[in-house]
Structure formats: C-alpha cells, structure tokens
Amino acid sequence: MNRFRPGRFIGITVGALAILLIGVYGPATLLGPLPAATATRLTPALNDATPFPPVLPAQGGSAIVALDTAAPGATTPDASAIAKTAPIAVGGNADALPMASAAKIVTALVVLDAKPLAAGTAGPKIPITTADYQDYIDYGNSGARTVVVFPGELWTETELLQAMVLGSSNNHADTLARWAFGSIDAYVAAANTWLTAHGLDGTTVADANGLHDASAGTATDLARLAGMAASDPVIAGMLSQPPSALVGQRGVDNTTAYLPDEGITGVSRSYTDAAGVCFLFTARVSSDESVFTFSGAVIGEPDYDTLKTDLTALMESARSGVSELPVLAKGDAYVRFSTPWGAASSGTVRASKTRFGWQAQAPGAATVTLDTFSTGRAGRTIGRVSVEAAGTPVSAPLVLDRTISAPGPGWRLLNPVPMITALLAARR
C-alpha cells in the first residue's frame, strides 16, 4: 500500500514549476515582444514673431479669407474648401447686411452649378424674351444698371454671365435666373438651398440682382463667395480678360476693376442706398517666387473715396504682415514617449517648415500620427505632425531625439505582467 509522502509531492510540484518556468515563462519574457512605448502629446511654445494684423475698416462689415500660399504652378483651392475656410480677420459689423450686386456673384455661381460651362466655351444660345426686354426698360427707368437687349436676340450663356458679372446688369441677372430655373421665385429657392448646402448660412437672397434690401450677407460669407468666384475657371476667365463687346457689338464696361496697382482684382463693385458701397475682391502679395492670395469683402462703405482709403490701408498692412512664417520648427517636440522600464524620448520635428502667409494667422491645432514601437535609435522616424497655416496644410516627419534601448534580462524576468500582456497583444 502506497503512502502519501508530502515531501515527494512538494518536490514534484517544485520541479514541475521549475520546468514550466524554464520552458515557458523564461522564453516568453526573455524572447517575447516588449511593451509599446506610451505617447503623451506636447504643445511647443509659440514663436515670438511680431504679428502684423490686417487693417480693416471699423464701419460697415469686412472680412478677408486666405485662398492659397503657393509657389508657381500650385493650384487654387476648390469652392467647397474655400466655403469652409475660417477668415483671417473680420472688421466692423459681423451681422448680415444688404449686399447690393454681390448677390449677382451668388447668381453666377448658382447658375453655373445648374448649367455648367467649360472654360473658354460659349455655352448654349438663349433667346431674349419679352419679359427680359421689359426688365431692361424697367430697370433703366429706375436708374439701375442695365445692358441693352432686344426681343428675339440670341445670347450665349457666357455672354449673359459677362453682362451680369462685368457690366453688373440687373436685367441679365433676371434673364439668367429665369432661364436656368424657370422663374425668379424658383431661382431664389434654389439659391438659398445652395448657400445653406455650402455652409454660407449668414447669407440670404431675395432676388437675383441684389436690388432687394433683403438680399443680405455677412462679410465673412461674402469674402468666401469672392474666393469661390475667383476659383471658378469661367468667372476667373471673365475677370482676367473682359470682352470689349457682346451681342451686336454692344459695349460692356468692366465695373469690377478697382485699384489693380495695389494687387487687387475686383469681383463685384456696387452701390445701393440700403447697402452703401459693396466690394468683393481678391488680392495678391508676392515675394521672390512665393505668392499669398486672399479674398475679401467690404460692405456698407459710405462712398468710394472711403473705400479707396480703406483698401489702400488693407494692402499696406498685407505687405507688412505677409512673410515667410515659421510653422514647424526643427527640434520642437510634439510628443513624449515613456516605457515601463524607464527609458524616455521625445518625438521632434526633423526639419523646419515655413509657409508664406500672414503673421496674423496662428497655425491651427497640430494633428499627430504615430507608429507603434518599443525601441528605436535617435533619429528614427516615428510619425508625422501636420498643421494648417495660411490656409494650407503643412507637415513634417517626427523623429526620436534620443535612443530608446531595450531593457536587460533582469527586468524582463521580474516584470511578468507587462511582458505577458505584450505577448498576448502581439498574437491578436
């Protein structure tokens, strides 16, 4: 009869545990993967460059929006991007104000959305109706801007747009709205839907030409609309190469041009008693091969002399404020890494990045993407940092500023929990 021997049982248990320790635990901890380094986000100190903010008028409403910061050959942002761009600066009244013929820029964009044109093409021929001719008579009698039409004439879509945008023709705005949408009321409904869809909630139209006081917009929305118009190849082509004549060699004055020597390209320039002087535009500041372009709106100005003074002051501030800005500085740390065994390192910008823009614009919040790792030599790329500066994303690699070495075997054997956890995570 075998008797239970406690000593023998203990010996077997200890031996089994030793075999398990040597055969399983030892290899798992000594040869298994290490726990990943833990990342903690950091925010570098802002650079101490002296800002030169835009000089905007205190009266009326005004705003400017960055369009691009580009070397030659770079493309202009599309309309949807411009519509979401935060303004560089806003001056005066931020509420919606009557916008006069700036409403015609809405008409142009909405009609082109419904009836697209390829740049450089004439588009379909549209007959001038009795209603179109009556608009010409009525608007002319009231002193509003018109371009002459006669019933039965055929105008191409491009010619109608040129008369409306460049000649600020009120009758052509109505003609385009009726042709594209069937009626002015249908156009107004479609245009307000379009404005809302593009996030331009501060702007509402009550007509196609802006003579109605209820056609109103915020300066920020109108600055965006100016940029959207300038980025449209059809409208941009009209602004850069206005025609000398339209149908029947009928002359059309370019009402948009204003202060070109200041680097300004007018998009819409108009006046009504309710709106005052309203001006939508784009402007450029250049240095060597870098160009900074922005769009703007100034509404509710009392007269053209004041508009000229205010735009001149704005452009002087632009030439002072636009420069090569440090956006991502070499060595700036955006993340700190730590490990369970006490090693630490920072993820720093590998090479400085600058952007030609306005010093009034602080870079946006940084977005950091990181690789998962446990050890690495100094200088290893472990991710990327991106910020928005002057309306354009800027990014740079992040590298380790010091080496994270592996721990010795003693730490591996004496820290089973993080080692087994890392092993299980690697097998998922």
Side-chain angles (χ1 to χ4, degrees):
M1 182 175 182
N2 293 328
R3 294 181 178 180
F4 174 72
R5 298 179 180 178
R8 184 180 179 187
F9 175 76
I10 293 172
I12 293 173
T13 301
V14 171
L17 289 174
I19 293 171
L20 182 64
L21 181 65
I22 296 171
V24 178
Y25 176 74
T29 55
L30 292 174
L31 302 177
L34 287 166
T38 300
T40 303
R41 280 289 306 274
L42 302 174
T43 302
L46 294 175
N47 70 77
D48 57 0
T50 302
F52 292 89
V55 174
L56 292 172
Q59 58 190 338
S62 54
I64 56 173
V65 172
L67 294 185
D68 62 14
T69 304
T75 58
T76 301
D78 62 20
S80 60
I82 296 169
K84 298 174 184 176
T85 302
I88 301 171
V90 178
N93 193 338
D95 297 333
L97 302 174
M99 58 179 167
S101 285
K104 296 181 179 114
I105 299 305
V106 178
T107 304
L109 290 168
V110 173
V111 167
L112 284 168
D113 190 51
K115 305 286 187 180
L117 268 178
T121 63
K125 292 185 176 181
I126 301 154
I128 298 299
T129 67
T130 302
D132 299 326
Y133 178 68
Q134 189 62 50
D135 279 343
Y136 162 65
I137 297 297
D138 292 343
Y139 286 132
N141 288 339
S142 68
R145 283 188 181 275
T146 61
V147 172
V148 63
V149 295
F150 294 104
E153 286 183 334
L154 294 177
W155 288 61
T156 66
E157 182 179 355
T158 293
E159 289 169 332
L160 290 174
L161 287 165
Q162 288 171 328
M164 179 183 69
V165 173
L166 299 174
S168 196
S169 172
N170 291 289
N171 53 297
H172 281 80
D174 285 356
T175 297
L176 277 164
R178 277 194 292 264
W179 167 70
F181 296 95
S183 69
I184 301 298
D185 287 344
Y187 161 75
V188 168
N192 285 317
T193 298
W194 183 91
L195 287 164
T196 300
H198 284 79
L200 303 169
D201 300 325
T203 299
T204 305
V205 296
D207 58 7
N209 51 38
L211 291 175
H212 199 300
D213 295 352
S215 286
T218 65
T220 296
D221 276 1
L222 296 181
R224 290 169 175 150
L225 283 163
M228 294 166 73
S231 72
D232 183 279
V234 174
I235 299 175
M238 294 177 189
L239 296 174
S240 64
Q241 295 180 329
S244 58
L246 299 174
V247 172
Q249 295 302 304
R250 214 155 292 152
V252 57
D253 294 329
N254 182 5
T255 65
T256 67
Y258 199 64
L259 301 181
D261 291 343
E262 291 284 350
I264 292 173
T265 299
V267 176
S268 172
R269 181 166 60 96
S270 57
Y271 170 86
T272 66
D273 290 341
V277 174
C278 299
F279 186 53
L280 273 55
F281 63 96
T282 63
R284 291 163 58 92
V285 177
S286 60
S287 175
D288 298 327
E289 293 187 345
S290 296
V291 177
F292 178 75
T293 307
F294 61 95
S295 59
V298 180
I299 55 179
E301 290 276 65
D303 51 56
Y304 281 105
D305 287 341
T306 304
L307 176 66
K308 180 178 180 180
T309 298
D310 288 341
L311 290 174
T312 301
L314 171 62
M315 293 310 297
E316 287 177 355
S317 68
R319 287 185 285 270
S320 297
V322 174
S323 62
E324 205 68 44
L325 304 177
V327 178
L328 296 171
K330 181 179 179 179
D332 273 359
Y334 281 85
V335 63
R336 179 72 174 170
F337 296 104
S338 59
T339 67
W341 57 94
S345 183
S346 294
T348 61
V349 176
R350 184 172 68 186
S352 294
K353 295 284 186 176
T354 61
R355 201 67 183 168
F356 192 65
W358 208 314
Q359 287 187 15
Q361 296 175 275
T367 300
V368 174
T369 55
L370 299 172
D371 300 334
T372 300
F373 70 97
S374 300
T375 62
R377 291 183 176 275
R380 171 184 168 179
T381 299
I382 44 77
R384 199 163 193 88
V385 59
S386 299
V387 298
E388 177 128 336
T392 304
V394 179
S395 65
L398 291 175
V399 298
L400 292 177
D401 69 341
R402 65 182 63 184
T403 298
I404 295 181
S405 300
W411 186 91
R412 287 174 174 268
L413 289 170
L414 295 175
N415 290 273
V417 173
M419 291 303 302
I420 297 301
T421 301
L423 179 62
L424 295 174
R427 293 188 173 183
R428 286 174 187 165

